[in-house]
mmCIF file of all heavy atoms in Angstrom:
data_model
loop_
_atom_site.group_PDB
_atom_site.id
_atom_site.type_symbol
_atom_site.label_atom_id
_atom_site.label_comp_id
_atom_site.label_asym_id
_atom_site.label_seq_id
_atom_site.Cartn_x
_atom_site.Cartn_y
_atom_site.Cartn_z
ATOM 1 N N ILE Z 25 106.756 120.599 118.409
ATOM 2 C CA ILE Z 25 106.385 120.753 117.013
ATOM 3 C C ILE Z 25 107.543 120.452 116.185
ATOM 4 O O ILE Z 25 108.414 121.339 116.001
ATOM 5 C CB ILE Z 25 105.768 122.200 116.718
ATOM 6 C CG1 ILE Z 25 104.631 122.499 117.696
ATOM 7 C CG2 ILE Z 25 105.261 122.257 115.273
ATOM 8 C CD1 ILE Z 25 104.197 123.947 117.700
ATOM 9 N N VAL Z 26 107.684 119.227 115.707
ATOM 10 C CA VAL Z 26 108.891 118.764 115.054
ATOM 11 C C VAL Z 26 108.732 118.882 113.515
ATOM 12 O O VAL Z 26 107.834 118.228 112.891
ATOM 13 C CB VAL Z 26 109.195 117.305 115.392
ATOM 14 C CG1 VAL Z 26 110.506 116.832 114.728
ATOM 15 C CG2 VAL Z 26 109.284 117.138 116.898
ATOM 16 N N ILE Z 27 109.531 119.736 112.861
ATOM 17 C CA ILE Z 27 109.441 120.025 111.451
ATOM 18 C C ILE Z 27 110.680 119.587 110.699
ATOM 19 O O ILE Z 27 111.742 120.109 110.914
ATOM 20 C CB ILE Z 27 109.180 121.545 111.220
ATOM 21 C CG1 ILE Z 27 108.017 122.062 112.084
ATOM 22 C CG2 ILE Z 27 109.007 121.894 109.744
ATOM 23 C CD1 ILE Z 27 107.891 123.605 112.091
ATOM 24 N N GLY Z 28 110.525 118.590 109.863
ATOM 25 C CA GLY Z 28 111.623 118.164 108.988
ATOM 26 C C GLY Z 28 112.781 117.527 109.686
ATOM 27 O O GLY Z 28 113.954 117.743 109.310
ATOM 28 N N SER Z 29 112.545 116.791 110.742
ATOM 29 C CA SER Z 29 113.646 116.127 111.491
ATOM 30 C C SER Z 29 113.462 114.630 111.408
ATOM 31 O O SER Z 29 112.313 114.116 111.569
ATOM 32 C CB SER Z 29 113.616 116.522 112.947
ATOM 33 O OG SER Z 29 114.509 115.738 113.710
ATOM 34 N N SER Z 30 114.552 113.914 111.210
ATOM 35 C CA SER Z 30 114.511 112.472 111.116
ATOM 36 C C SER Z 30 114.678 111.724 112.424
ATOM 37 O O SER Z 30 114.794 110.537 112.492
ATOM 38 C CB SER Z 30 115.541 111.973 110.115
ATOM 39 O OG SER Z 30 116.826 112.352 110.507
ATOM 40 N N PHE Z 31 114.705 112.492 113.548
ATOM 41 C CA PHE Z 31 114.906 111.895 114.837
ATOM 42 C C PHE Z 31 116.173 111.063 114.946
ATOM 43 O O PHE Z 31 116.230 109.920 115.376
ATOM 44 C CB PHE Z 31 113.695 111.047 115.259
ATOM 45 C CG PHE Z 31 112.576 111.902 115.784
ATOM 46 C CD1 PHE Z 31 111.775 112.602 114.909
ATOM 47 C CD2 PHE Z 31 112.253 111.887 117.150
ATOM 48 C CE1 PHE Z 31 110.665 113.323 115.390
ATOM 49 C CE2 PHE Z 31 111.224 112.660 117.613
ATOM 50 C CZ PHE Z 31 110.408 113.391 116.705
ATOM 51 N N SER Z 32 117.303 111.637 114.513
ATOM 52 C CA SER Z 32 118.589 110.987 114.659
ATOM 53 C C SER Z 32 118.846 110.695 116.111
ATOM 54 O O SER Z 32 118.458 111.423 117.022
ATOM 55 C CB SER Z 32 119.710 111.922 114.163
ATOM 56 O OG SER Z 32 120.915 111.526 114.650
ATOM 57 N N ASP Z 33 119.577 109.543 116.360
ATOM 58 C CA ASP Z 33 119.929 109.190 117.750
ATOM 59 C C ASP Z 33 120.808 110.237 118.375
ATOM 60 O O ASP Z 33 120.754 110.441 119.620
ATOM 61 C CB ASP Z 33 120.592 107.849 117.747
ATOM 62 C CG ASP Z 33 121.820 107.776 116.876
ATOM 63 O OD1 ASP Z 33 121.708 108.182 115.709
ATOM 64 O OD2 ASP Z 33 122.868 107.252 117.319
ATOM 65 N N LEU Z 34 121.554 110.985 117.591
ATOM 66 C CA LEU Z 34 122.437 112.033 118.143
ATOM 67 C C LEU Z 34 121.598 113.237 118.514
ATOM 68 O O LEU Z 34 122.045 114.025 119.355
ATOM 69 C CB LEU Z 34 123.493 112.423 117.145
ATOM 70 C CG LEU Z 34 124.543 111.343 116.803
ATOM 71 C CD1 LEU Z 34 125.519 111.852 115.766
ATOM 72 C CD2 LEU Z 34 125.201 110.840 118.073
ATOM 73 N N THR Z 35 120.428 113.407 117.972
ATOM 74 C CA THR Z 35 119.568 114.585 118.291
ATOM 75 C C THR Z 35 118.960 114.306 119.655
ATOM 76 O O THR Z 35 118.638 115.263 120.391
ATOM 77 C CB THR Z 35 118.505 114.832 117.239
ATOM 78 O OG1 THR Z 35 119.095 115.012 115.961
ATOM 79 C CG2 THR Z 35 117.676 116.065 117.556
ATOM 80 N N GLN Z 36 118.673 113.085 120.027
ATOM 81 C CA GLN Z 36 118.214 112.713 121.353
ATOM 82 C C GLN Z 36 116.889 113.353 121.776
ATOM 83 O O GLN Z 36 116.771 113.769 122.899
ATOM 84 C CB GLN Z 36 119.321 112.990 122.404
ATOM 85 C CG GLN Z 36 120.571 112.286 122.122
ATOM 86 C CD GLN Z 36 121.746 112.662 123.108
ATOM 87 O OE1 GLN Z 36 121.610 113.632 123.820
ATOM 88 N NE2 GLN Z 36 122.875 111.959 123.034
ATOM 89 N N LEU Z 37 116.008 113.449 120.804
ATOM 90 C CA LEU Z 37 114.663 114.001 121.182
ATOM 91 C C LEU Z 37 113.961 113.016 122.045
ATOM 92 O O LEU Z 37 113.827 111.786 121.672
ATOM 93 C CB LEU Z 37 113.881 114.347 119.913
ATOM 94 C CG LEU Z 37 114.403 115.493 119.087
ATOM 95 C CD1 LEU Z 37 113.586 115.658 117.801
ATOM 96 C CD2 LEU Z 37 114.389 116.833 119.917
ATOM 97 N N PRO Z 38 113.306 113.439 123.162
ATOM 98 C CA PRO Z 38 112.697 112.493 124.059
ATOM 99 C C PRO Z 38 111.204 112.236 123.643
ATOM 100 O O PRO Z 38 110.649 112.949 122.799
ATOM 101 C CB PRO Z 38 112.659 113.253 125.359
ATOM 102 C CG PRO Z 38 112.509 114.684 124.964
ATOM 103 C CD PRO Z 38 113.348 114.795 123.662
ATOM 104 N N PRO Z 39 110.622 111.149 124.146
ATOM 105 C CA PRO Z 39 109.197 110.894 123.838
ATOM 106 C C PRO Z 39 108.376 111.991 124.580
ATOM 107 O O PRO Z 39 108.846 112.617 125.505
ATOM 108 C CB PRO Z 39 108.943 109.562 124.464
ATOM 109 C CG PRO Z 39 110.004 109.380 125.547
ATOM 110 C CD PRO Z 39 111.237 110.094 125.010
ATOM 111 N N GLY Z 40 107.156 112.169 124.179
ATOM 112 C CA GLY Z 40 106.237 113.148 124.717
ATOM 113 C C GLY Z 40 105.122 113.517 123.836
ATOM 114 O O GLY Z 40 104.793 112.676 122.879
ATOM 115 N N ARG Z 41 104.594 114.640 124.045
ATOM 116 C CA ARG Z 41 103.471 115.071 123.146
ATOM 117 C C ARG Z 41 104.044 115.691 121.931
ATOM 118 O O ARG Z 41 104.677 116.758 122.066
ATOM 119 C CB ARG Z 41 102.578 116.060 123.941
ATOM 120 C CG ARG Z 41 101.168 116.240 123.450
ATOM 121 C CD ARG Z 41 100.354 116.831 124.582
ATOM 122 N NE ARG Z 41 99.016 117.164 124.112
ATOM 123 C CZ ARG Z 41 98.512 118.452 124.056
ATOM 124 N NH1 ARG Z 41 99.290 119.412 124.440
ATOM 125 N NH2 ARG Z 41 97.344 118.618 123.628
ATOM 126 N N ILE Z 42 103.902 115.112 120.793
ATOM 127 C CA ILE Z 42 104.645 115.556 119.568
ATOM 128 C C ILE Z 42 103.695 115.697 118.435
ATOM 129 O O ILE Z 42 102.816 114.877 118.085
ATOM 130 C CB ILE Z 42 105.694 114.467 119.205
ATOM 131 C CG1 ILE Z 42 106.731 114.306 120.303
ATOM 132 C CG2 ILE Z 42 106.385 114.827 117.901
ATOM 133 C CD1 ILE Z 42 107.687 113.176 120.089
ATOM 134 N N LEU Z 43 103.812 116.880 117.784
ATOM 135 C CA LEU Z 43 103.198 117.094 116.428
ATOM 136 C C LEU Z 43 104.386 117.114 115.434
ATOM 137 O O LEU Z 43 105.253 117.939 115.510
ATOM 138 C CB LEU Z 43 102.470 118.485 116.396
ATOM 139 C CG LEU Z 43 102.080 119.043 115.011
ATOM 140 C CD1 LEU Z 43 101.127 118.072 114.365
ATOM 141 C CD2 LEU Z 43 101.505 120.403 115.145
ATOM 142 N N GLN Z 44 104.356 116.160 114.520
ATOM 143 C CA GLN Z 44 105.482 116.012 113.581
ATOM 144 C C GLN Z 44 105.035 116.275 112.158
ATOM 145 O O GLN Z 44 103.986 115.750 111.650
ATOM 146 C CB GLN Z 44 106.031 114.611 113.651
ATOM 147 C CG GLN Z 44 107.270 114.491 112.825
ATOM 148 C CD GLN Z 44 107.941 113.064 112.992
ATOM 149 O OE1 GLN Z 44 107.475 112.182 113.732
ATOM 150 N NE2 GLN Z 44 108.978 112.798 112.232
ATOM 151 N N ILE Z 45 105.828 117.039 111.454
ATOM 152 C CA ILE Z 45 105.553 117.411 110.041
ATOM 153 C C ILE Z 45 106.761 116.905 109.189
ATOM 154 O O ILE Z 45 107.910 117.237 109.506
ATOM 155 C CB ILE Z 45 105.416 118.940 109.879
ATOM 156 C CG1 ILE Z 45 104.249 119.472 110.711
ATOM 157 C CG2 ILE Z 45 105.201 119.276 108.392
ATOM 158 C CD1 ILE Z 45 104.281 120.998 110.884
ATOM 159 N N ASP Z 46 106.507 116.124 108.191
ATOM 160 C CA ASP Z 46 107.600 115.614 107.374
ATOM 161 C C ASP Z 46 107.058 115.272 106.007
ATOM 162 O O ASP Z 46 105.917 114.768 105.789
ATOM 163 C CB ASP Z 46 108.245 114.445 108.007
ATOM 164 C CG ASP Z 46 109.699 114.290 107.553
ATOM 165 O OD1 ASP Z 46 109.925 113.874 106.401
ATOM 166 O OD2 ASP Z 46 110.616 114.603 108.367
ATOM 167 N N ILE Z 47 107.886 115.459 104.991
ATOM 168 C CA ILE Z 47 107.520 115.045 103.637
ATOM 169 C C ILE Z 47 107.577 113.575 103.413
ATOM 170 O O ILE Z 47 106.877 113.047 102.566
ATOM 171 C CB ILE Z 47 108.495 115.750 102.560
ATOM 172 C CG1 ILE Z 47 108.081 115.504 101.148
ATOM 173 C CG2 ILE Z 47 109.923 115.276 102.755
ATOM 174 C CD1 ILE Z 47 106.726 116.142 100.814
ATOM 175 N N ASP Z 48 108.355 112.876 104.251
ATOM 176 C CA ASP Z 48 108.465 111.421 104.188
ATOM 177 C C ASP Z 48 107.624 110.767 105.258
ATOM 178 O O ASP Z 48 107.936 110.888 106.434
ATOM 179 C CB ASP Z 48 109.980 111.045 104.353
ATOM 180 C CG ASP Z 48 110.212 109.536 104.129
ATOM 181 O OD1 ASP Z 48 109.198 108.800 104.020
ATOM 182 O OD2 ASP Z 48 111.365 109.128 104.139
ATOM 183 N N PRO Z 49 106.575 110.028 104.926
ATOM 184 C CA PRO Z 49 105.706 109.472 105.940
ATOM 185 C C PRO Z 49 106.422 108.405 106.834
ATOM 186 O O PRO Z 49 105.996 108.162 107.900
ATOM 187 C CB PRO Z 49 104.541 108.795 105.133
ATOM 188 C CG PRO Z 49 105.116 108.684 103.745
ATOM 189 C CD PRO Z 49 106.035 109.786 103.556
ATOM 190 N N LEU Z 50 107.523 107.906 106.257
ATOM 191 C CA LEU Z 50 108.288 106.888 107.051
ATOM 192 C C LEU Z 50 109.007 107.503 108.244
ATOM 193 O O LEU Z 50 109.400 106.853 109.131
ATOM 194 C CB LEU Z 50 109.272 106.137 106.122
ATOM 195 C CG LEU Z 50 108.655 105.190 105.127
ATOM 196 C CD1 LEU Z 50 109.742 104.570 104.264
ATOM 197 C CD2 LEU Z 50 107.816 104.121 105.851
ATOM 198 N N MET Z 51 109.207 108.809 108.186
ATOM 199 C CA MET Z 51 109.845 109.509 109.299
ATOM 200 C C MET Z 51 108.833 109.820 110.423
ATOM 201 O O MET Z 51 109.301 110.098 111.529
ATOM 202 C CB MET Z 51 110.434 110.834 108.776
ATOM 203 C CG MET Z 51 111.658 110.659 107.881
ATOM 204 S SD MET Z 51 113.048 109.893 108.666
ATOM 205 C CE MET Z 51 113.074 108.352 107.800
ATOM 206 N N ILE Z 52 107.568 109.774 110.140
ATOM 207 C CA ILE Z 52 106.600 110.126 111.211
ATOM 208 C C ILE Z 52 106.636 108.971 112.228
ATOM 209 O O ILE Z 52 106.497 107.776 111.900
ATOM 210 C CB ILE Z 52 105.149 110.184 110.622
ATOM 211 C CG1 ILE Z 52 105.151 111.299 109.502
ATOM 212 C CG2 ILE Z 52 104.139 110.521 111.690
ATOM 213 C CD1 ILE Z 52 105.328 112.655 109.931
ATOM 214 N N ALA Z 53 106.747 109.337 113.517
ATOM 215 C CA ALA Z 53 106.794 108.465 114.610
ATOM 216 C C ALA Z 53 107.917 107.420 114.458
ATOM 217 O O ALA Z 53 107.870 106.246 114.856
ATOM 218 C CB ALA Z 53 105.506 107.713 114.807
ATOM 219 N N ARG Z 54 109.065 107.861 113.889
ATOM 220 C CA ARG Z 54 110.212 106.981 113.689
ATOM 221 C C ARG Z 54 110.772 106.422 114.963
ATOM 222 O O ARG Z 54 111.158 105.256 115.045
ATOM 223 C CB ARG Z 54 111.243 107.660 112.807
ATOM 224 C CG ARG Z 54 112.487 106.764 112.513
ATOM 225 C CD ARG Z 54 113.387 107.516 111.531
ATOM 226 N NE ARG Z 54 114.562 106.736 111.268
ATOM 227 C CZ ARG Z 54 115.791 107.183 111.502
ATOM 228 N NH1 ARG Z 54 116.017 108.428 111.984
ATOM 229 N NH2 ARG Z 54 116.860 106.419 111.292
ATOM 230 N N ARG Z 55 110.894 107.304 115.927
ATOM 231 C CA ARG Z 55 111.457 106.896 117.252
ATOM 232 C C ARG Z 55 110.448 106.756 118.339
ATOM 233 O O ARG Z 55 110.488 105.886 119.156
ATOM 234 C CB ARG Z 55 112.524 107.961 117.689
ATOM 235 C CG ARG Z 55 113.689 108.142 116.732
ATOM 236 C CD ARG Z 55 114.664 106.984 116.814
ATOM 237 N NE ARG Z 55 115.862 107.282 116.001
ATOM 238 C CZ ARG Z 55 116.735 106.427 115.661
ATOM 239 N NH1 ARG Z 55 116.628 105.179 116.055
ATOM 240 N NH2 ARG Z 55 117.794 106.763 114.886
ATOM 241 N N HIS Z 56 109.460 107.677 118.314
ATOM 242 C CA HIS Z 56 108.435 107.681 119.432
ATOM 243 C C HIS Z 56 107.026 107.864 118.792
ATOM 244 O O HIS Z 56 106.857 108.476 117.746
ATOM 245 C CB HIS Z 56 108.645 108.835 120.324
ATOM 246 C CG HIS Z 56 110.109 109.002 120.826
ATOM 247 N ND1 HIS Z 56 110.748 108.040 121.507
ATOM 248 C CD2 HIS Z 56 110.973 110.046 120.662
ATOM 249 C CE1 HIS Z 56 111.971 108.495 121.800
ATOM 250 N NE2 HIS Z 56 112.115 109.651 121.302
ATOM 251 N N PRO Z 57 105.988 107.351 119.471
ATOM 252 C CA PRO Z 57 104.626 107.612 119.047
ATOM 253 C C PRO Z 57 104.370 109.168 119.079
ATOM 254 O O PRO Z 57 104.926 109.831 119.917
ATOM 255 C CB PRO Z 57 103.792 106.896 120.049
ATOM 256 C CG PRO Z 57 104.658 105.872 120.708
ATOM 257 C CD PRO Z 57 106.048 106.505 120.659
ATOM 258 N N VAL Z 58 103.576 109.600 118.100
ATOM 259 C CA VAL Z 58 103.270 111.036 118.127
ATOM 260 C C VAL Z 58 101.823 111.280 118.292
ATOM 261 O O VAL Z 58 100.900 110.435 118.050
ATOM 262 C CB VAL Z 58 103.681 111.635 116.745
ATOM 263 C CG1 VAL Z 58 105.178 111.542 116.494
ATOM 264 C CG2 VAL Z 58 102.923 111.071 115.568
ATOM 265 N N GLU Z 59 101.536 112.525 118.853
ATOM 266 C CA GLU Z 59 100.154 112.875 119.038
ATOM 267 C C GLU Z 59 99.442 113.056 117.736
ATOM 268 O O GLU Z 59 98.293 112.697 117.559
ATOM 269 C CB GLU Z 59 100.118 114.174 119.849
ATOM 270 C CG GLU Z 59 98.736 114.629 120.311
ATOM 271 C CD GLU Z 59 98.370 114.022 121.668
ATOM 272 O OE1 GLU Z 59 99.156 113.275 122.246
ATOM 273 O OE2 GLU Z 59 97.272 114.247 122.097
ATOM 274 N N MET Z 60 100.229 113.618 116.718
ATOM 275 C CA MET Z 60 99.650 113.832 115.436
ATOM 276 C C MET Z 60 100.788 113.920 114.441
ATOM 277 O O MET Z 60 101.819 114.580 114.758
ATOM 278 C CB MET Z 60 98.782 115.051 115.406
ATOM 279 C CG MET Z 60 98.044 115.217 114.095
ATOM 280 S SD MET Z 60 96.794 116.580 114.161
ATOM 281 C CE MET Z 60 96.080 116.349 112.549
ATOM 282 N N GLY Z 61 100.602 113.326 113.284
ATOM 283 C CA GLY Z 61 101.613 113.455 112.178
ATOM 284 C C GLY Z 61 100.967 114.053 110.955
ATOM 285 O O GLY Z 61 99.856 113.711 110.550
ATOM 286 N N LEU Z 62 101.639 114.983 110.311
ATOM 287 C CA LEU Z 62 101.232 115.563 109.098
ATOM 288 C C LEU Z 62 102.273 115.298 107.994
ATOM 289 O O LEU Z 62 103.437 115.642 108.136
ATOM 290 C CB LEU Z 62 101.163 117.128 109.241
ATOM 291 C CG LEU Z 62 100.066 117.608 110.252
ATOM 292 C CD1 LEU Z 62 100.151 119.122 110.345
ATOM 293 C CD2 LEU Z 62 98.682 117.189 109.815
ATOM 294 N N GLU Z 63 101.821 114.671 106.923
ATOM 295 C CA GLU Z 63 102.710 114.464 105.720
ATOM 296 C C GLU Z 63 102.584 115.680 104.791
ATOM 297 O O GLU Z 63 101.506 116.025 104.389
ATOM 298 C CB GLU Z 63 102.313 113.184 105.054
ATOM 299 C CG GLU Z 63 103.153 112.939 103.792
ATOM 300 C CD GLU Z 63 102.679 111.798 102.944
ATOM 301 O OE1 GLU Z 63 101.694 111.059 103.388
ATOM 302 O OE2 GLU Z 63 103.253 111.528 101.875
ATOM 303 N N GLY Z 64 103.745 116.293 104.481
ATOM 304 C CA GLY Z 64 103.686 117.409 103.557
ATOM 305 C C GLY Z 64 104.943 118.160 103.565
ATOM 306 O O GLY Z 64 105.787 118.039 104.523
ATOM 307 N N ARG Z 65 105.162 119.047 102.575
ATOM 308 C CA ARG Z 65 106.282 119.897 102.496
ATOM 309 C C ARG Z 65 106.147 120.977 103.579
ATOM 310 O O ARG Z 65 105.028 121.533 103.820
ATOM 311 C CB ARG Z 65 106.303 120.550 101.134
ATOM 312 C CG ARG Z 65 106.472 119.601 99.933
ATOM 313 C CD ARG Z 65 107.453 120.213 98.986
ATOM 314 N NE ARG Z 65 108.799 120.146 99.490
ATOM 315 C CZ ARG Z 65 109.662 119.155 99.267
ATOM 316 N NH1 ARG Z 65 109.350 118.183 98.450
ATOM 317 N NH2 ARG Z 65 110.865 119.228 99.807
ATOM 318 N N SER Z 66 107.273 121.244 104.246
ATOM 319 C CA SER Z 66 107.267 122.275 105.296
ATOM 320 C C SER Z 66 106.979 123.677 104.683
ATOM 321 O O SER Z 66 106.296 124.508 105.373
ATOM 322 C CB SER Z 66 108.558 122.327 106.023
ATOM 323 O OG SER Z 66 109.639 122.621 105.186
#
């Protein structure tokens, strides 16, 4: 459950089953496909 993260290469989050929440829709699935993305303020 990824909240407010831009998936920096230094964070090294792996692909997998991901629910991503971010205010910026361009950050959703930035590195890997996500199971579900939610656009909105955390």
Side-chain angles (χ1 to χ4, degrees):
I25 305 168
V26 182
I27 306 171
S29 169
S30 59
F31 279 76
S32 161
D33 55 313
L34 295 180
T35 303
Q36 300 175 352
L37 291 176
R41 203 159 172 245
I42 298 172
L43 166 62
Q44 187 178 356
I45 302 165
D46 206 286
I47 187 63
D48 185 352
L50 292 177
M51 290 297 110
I52 304 293
R54 180 170 177 240
R55 299 285 186 194
H56 312 298
V58 298
E59 190 87 1
M60 187 172 185
L62 296 177
E63 179 187 355
R65 299 223 70 96
S66 62

